[in-house]
Amino acid sequence: MVNLELLTWLVPLFPVLAFAVIVLFTNRWKRLSHTVAIGFLLVSFVLGMIVVFSAFRIGGEELAQHPIVSAVDWMPTGESFLRFGVLVDPLTAVTLFFVLMTLVAIFVYSVGYMRGDPRYSRFFALISLFATGMLGLVVSDNLLMLFLFWEIMGFCSYALIGFWFEKPSAHRAGVKAFITTRVGDVLMLLGIAYLYALTGTLNFREILNDPAVLKRLVEMSSPIAGLSAAALVGLLLFGGTVGKSAQFPLHVWLPDAMEGPTPVSALIHAATMVSAGVYLVIRTFPLLSAGLEHGGGATPAMWAMGLIGAFTAFLAATMAVAQFDIKRVLAYSTISQLGYMIAALGVGAYVAAAFHLITHAFFKALLFLGSGSVIHAMEHGHHHAMEHAGHGHGEHEEPFDPNDMRNMGGLREKMPITFWTFTIGGLALAGFPLVTAGFWSKDEILAEAFHAAFEKGEPLGLFVYLLLALAALLTAFYTMRQITMTFLGEPRTEAARHAPESDWTMTVPLIFLSIFAVGAGFVGVPADFPILGPLLGGNPLHEFVGATLMTHLETLPLNWLPVLISVLFALGGLWLGYRAYEGKLRSPETPDPLSNLPLGLFTHMHRRWYFDELYDVLFVRPAKGIAFFIARIVDRGIIDGILHFTARTSLILAEATRVFDRVVPNGIPIAVAEGIKGFGRSFRTIQTGQVQNYLLLALVNALVLAVVYLVLFQ
């Protein structure tokens, strides 16, 4: 009999062992370091898949009622203990599945991408620790343990985004990511502390699966007027997701995170980091939606998720339309798709959010690794072109940006594997109907929002649906724009003409992920969808993941209107993107076809609606001003002034003490001694050694004493 509890404990253990082994022993040997990292991850992969498929075999309802659990006492809290443990329920099982799959693909890909980097071993040590953070977070059975692994990922993201720290932009991006996400983390930690103060526990099952606890939190008032304790805790926990998953207004760090190596981008956007933020709100959804059963529409946390998620999805999509960096387009795409998931939770689409989290992980990992393959090829092509032209890699080499899509074009023939796999990922992102995973998961979110807006009459549902539908149109447009600028047409630079296909360590993971970018969606096909629904078993994902809530979730009947709108927007956006860009860019200097949009819209979108400039004015400059004030006035003027005054006063007192010490404690005894010594020296002359002199002196003394006696006493 397999001990599933023990295997679950071991899943996050092996990557952290790889981190320790590489740091302590193998960091001088590159091949051995990546062998350790991939080998230990494969052990976790095997153990994790045994747990996952055992969970699938148990079934959703049975696993939700009797999950795989194990816990140990960690810290005494008086009469009880804080306990750390593992939990595998239906949500954990599906999350663990896609995290392990994408991690393996990214680790193998990194061997080819990072080859030749001087900090190769360090890279594999850090991504192993990164993997530990996400795997530990997924299997955690309580919020405190989840938060600890959450912070491990925060450190790893900082270290890996700024991995090439000799570049000032990479250094700044790492600091920016660390500081921005800390804002959300502080809110999350406040929510955890408040929840523990109210319930005395942070265990998921003891809070989320106990109606009595949730009811008490709903009925309990909070220090914030008008909010229940459940609402305040939910909003604070959601604050952590806003930071981690780069939602408005804390979205600004994720595009700059592209300064790190491309495998890091894939890790952050697909397997770890931002997925952790969405996983948090999906995991705690019973608390975020507590009170919904009493009527009154969405809870405050659901309103926040619906408004912020939908707005972020649309806002990020507009920014992606005007970017030229191939990875930044995908970064804004990630922000937008995360907004879809969070907005879905805002309208109560629990399973749809989890479904899109799964499919998005596969096709976004595919897209980022595909973009890395392109960048890698462009760098090689540029070096080859320079060498062919008689230039080395020195001062005569002109500046060249291998990430800029304007420098590409025509790569379809040069890189056929990368082209087809990237296209599959792009079509999944755009929601190409029927044959891509992105269509099924995104369509389910749009269908849930449509139902909330037009069938239930909820204003939040209407807001969510309209913005997500517009975001879907823009997503299809910028996806085809990216494919066209990168792969179609004629090469626009010599680097593109000489770009080679990547080696097998990079292309095999692309092929592997492309299979899931197509096939992962078929587990969520609606049961009443013609032909495919009955053929694929009637939406097994909905039944399995939905069982996590331990309540029967209503399955929406198939409504062809939102389906047709989704198809129209997806195909229409792809067609518009192709028509706008095919054959229009002849050289890197050719203006973008959208640059003539009225009101300077293209410039505004390219500059990301000036959020960075706005935050610079609102936060960065005031912070620098306060720091300057503290440094000049408080530190130098007050603190240094007090210290310098104290130092000068101490010197004066020390000098006075030195004078006093010289005069009183030392001077008087020395004077007495010198007087006695002088007296002795003066009277030493009477010591002649002659008896006659001594007798004479005695006679004189006797006469003197007699005279004194007669004068004084007679």
Side-chain angles (χ1 to χ4, degrees):
M1 183 67 181
V2 178
N3 189 334
L4 296 177
E5 292 81 6
L6 177 60
L7 295 187
T8 306
W9 278 107
L10 294 176
V11 168
L13 175 63
F14 283 94
V16 76
L17 289 179
F19 168 77
V21 169
I22 294 171
V23 169
L24 296 176
F25 304 111
T26 70
N27 57 83
R28 294 185 179 182
W29 299 278
K30 295 181 177 181
R31 181 171 297 181
L32 185 57
S33 293
H34 80 235
T35 302
V36 169
I38 297 174
F40 279 50
L41 179 67
L42 287 176
V43 174
S44 287
F45 177 82
V46 172
L47 299 178
M49 287 303 156
I50 293 173
V51 174
V52 168
F53 285 104
S54 297
F56 292 163
R57 187 170 59 253
I58 292 171
E61 292 187 6
E62 179 64 21
L63 186 63
Q65 294 289 338
H66 306 286
I68 301 168
V69 292
S70 176
V72 296
D73 293 337
W74 177 59
M75 180 184 293
T77 58
E79 298 180 354
S80 61
F81 280 85
L82 283 175
R83 310 194 77 203
F84 272 10
V86 294
L87 164 71
V88 178
D89 60 6
L91 178 61
T92 304
V94 297
T95 306
L96 196 59
F97 175 80
F98 82 75
V99 168
L100 285 169
M101 286 289 186
T102 51
L103 283 175
V104 169
I106 294 168
F107 272 54
V108 174
Y109 177 94
S110 299
V111 173
Y113 189 87
M114 297 301 294
R115 183 178 291 119
D117 193 282
R119 293 188 287 272
Y120 186 89
S121 296
R122 171 182 174 151
F123 176 83
F124 276 94
L126 287 172
I127 64 172
S128 295
L129 186 61
F130 213 163
T132 297
M134 187 61 185
L135 293 172
L137 179 145
V138 171
V139 301
S140 297
D141 76 337
N142 66 86
L143 270 171
L144 182 59
M145 184 174 172
L146 180 148
F147 185 75
L148 293 178
F149 285 107
W150 179 282
E151 289 302 306
I152 288 173
M153 284 195 293
F155 162 74
C156 291
S157 66
Y158 162 75
L160 286 167
I161 291 169
F163 184 76
W164 291 321
F165 50 80
E166 59 274 6
K167 294 169 53 181
S169 58
H171 164 72
R172 289 194 298 267
V175 173
K176 184 177 183 179
F178 191 79
I179 293 176
T180 306
T181 54
R182 292 292 77 74
V183 176
D185 292 356
V186 169
L187 296 176
M188 179 183 174
L189 187 58
L190 290 173
I192 292 173
Y194 187 42
L195 181 62
Y196 182 76
L198 296 176
T199 63
T201 181
L202 294 173
N203 184 273
F204 291 133
R205 298 190 72 209
E206 293 174 3
I207 298 173
L208 305 177
N209 294 350
D210 190 336
V213 172
L214 295 176
K215 182 179 179 182
R216 187 169 77 250
L217 292 174
V218 170
E219 295 173 348
M220 189 183 303
S221 61
S222 75
I224 307 299
L227 290 178
S228 66
L232 181 56
V233 171
L235 289 172
L236 290 173
L237 293 180
F238 175 57
T241 294
V242 170
K244 207 72 161 182
S245 293
Q247 297 296 284
F248 174 84
L250 301 180
H251 63 283
V252 292
W253 70 268
L254 192 56
D256 290 342
M258 300 304 97
E259 291 291 341
T262 297
V264 174
S265 303
L267 278 171
I268 291 174
H269 289 255
T272 58
M273 200 70 176
V274 298
S275 296
V278 178
Y279 175 81
L280 172 67
V281 286
I282 297 175
R283 168 59 69 192
T284 58
F285 184 72
L287 175 60
L288 301 177
S289 61
L292 190 64
E293 64 275 9
H294 301 303
T299 65
M302 293 176 69
W303 270 99
M305 290 190 293
L307 294 174
I308 291 177
F311 179 72
T312 302
F314 176 72
L315 179 71
T318 64
M319 297 177 184
V321 166
Q323 302 303 313
F324 296 111
D325 187 303
I326 188 172
K327 287 182 16 177
R328 285 185 183 270
V329 174
L330 298 176
Y332 284 111
S333 167
T334 297
I335 298 173
S336 182
Q337 297 306 302
L338 295 171
Y340 266 87
M341 304 168 205
I342 292 170
L345 293 172
V347 296
Y350 175 83
V351 176
F355 186 20
H356 199 50
L357 177 64
I358 297 167
T359 61
H360 175 264
F362 288 118
F363 64 70
K364 188 52 62 70
L366 172 60
L367 286 169
F368 266 107
L369 297 187
S371 70
S373 178
V374 170
I375 294 168
H376 195 260
M378 290 293 292
E379 290 174 342
H380 279 277
H382 177 62
H383 294 325
H384 183 274
M386 290 297 101
E387 291 173 356
H388 185 71
H391 300 297
H393 295 173
E395 57 183 16
H396 298 294
E397 186 172 342
E398 297 180 0
F400 177 78
D401 185 0
N403 293 36
D404 195 328
M405 296 185 294
R406 291 171 294 189
N407 292 330
M408 301 176 188
L411 297 181
R412 176 173 59 89
E413 297 179 357
K414 305 290 183 179
M415 310 177 67
I417 298 177
T418 300
F419 165 67
W420 285 111
T421 53
F422 191 95
T423 301
I424 290 171
L427 293 178
L429 171 62
F432 190 84
L434 300 182
V435 295
T436 63
F439 167 75
W440 297 108
S441 57
K442 188 184 294 186
D443 181 71
E444 186 168 346
I445 292 176
L446 291 171
E448 292 275 4
F450 186 91
H451 174 74
F454 298 105
E455 297 177 20
K456 296 171 67 176
E458 296 178 359
L460 178 60
L462 180 61
F463 177 82
V464 168
Y465 180 76
L466 291 178
L467 286 188
L468 292 190
L470 290 174
L473 178 64
L474 291 174
T475 300
F477 179 85
Y478 68 67
T479 299
M480 183 52 72
R481 171 182 182 265
Q482 185 176 42
I483 293 173
T484 303
M485 291 182 69
T486 303
F487 294 101
L488 303 185
E490 296 296 325
R492 290 185 288 276
T493 60
E494 288 299 316
R497 290 186 179 89
H498 294 90
E501 179 63 278
S502 301
D503 63 30
W504 70 269
T505 58
M506 298 171 69
T507 55
V508 169
L510 297 180
I511 297 170
F512 173 76
L513 289 170
S514 65
I515 296 172
F516 286 96
V518 173
F522 292 128
V523 297
V525 176
D528 52 352
F529 197 90
I531 304 175
L532 289 177
L535 181 65
L536 297 171
N539 202 347
L541 181 73
H542 188 281
E543 299 299 326
F544 186 79
V545 175
T548 307
L549 297 179
M550 299 178 63
T551 58
H552 178 70
L553 292 179
E554 177 188 2
T555 302
L556 296 181
L558 181 63
N559 186 337
W560 283 103
L561 181 57
V563 174
L564 293 176
I565 294 175
S566 298
V567 171
L568 177 63
F569 278 24
L571 296 180
L574 291 170
W575 181 80
L576 288 173
Y578 180 80
R579 291 290 298 170
Y581 284 87
E582 172 57 20
K584 301 295 175 55
L585 298 178
R586 300 294 183 183
S587 70
E589 292 75 26
T590 304
D592 191 281
L594 298 184
S595 58
N596 294 324
L597 287 175
L599 304 177
L601 283 177
F602 185 82
T603 301
H604 298 330
M605 292 187 292
H606 177 67
R607 295 294 299 272
R608 303 180 280 187
W609 298 108
Y610 301 97
F611 275 102
D612 286 309
E613 290 83 355
L614 176 63
Y615 288 177
D616 183 66
V617 172
L618 294 179
F619 303 110
V620 177
R621 292 184 186 178
K624 289 182 177 179
I626 293 171
F628 181 79
F629 173 79
I630 292 174
R632 292 295 299 271
I633 306 299
V634 177
D635 185 54
R636 297 182 185 179
I638 299 176
I639 298 176
D640 286 358
I642 293 173
L643 293 175
H644 293 163
F645 173 78
T646 303
R648 286 192 294 267
T649 304
S650 299
L651 287 173
I652 294 172
L653 291 175
E655 182 63 24
T657 302
R658 187 177 65 85
V659 172
F660 175 80
D661 183 68
R662 180 184 299 172
V663 172
V664 179
N666 293 333
I668 293 176
I670 291 173
V672 172
E674 289 295 329
I676 294 173
K677 185 170 70 174
F679 179 80
R681 186 181 299 112
S682 299
F683 280 85
R684 185 176 60 183
T685 57
I686 67 175
Q687 300 295 326
T688 62
Q690 298 180 2
V691 175
Q692 297 88 333
N693 293 340
Y694 296 159
L695 290 174
L696 178 62
L697 184 60
L699 179 62
V700 172
N701 286 337
L703 290 174
V704 170
L705 290 174
V707 172
V708 171
Y709 176 78
L710 291 174
V711 172
L712 294 177
F713 298 104
Q714 293 300 319

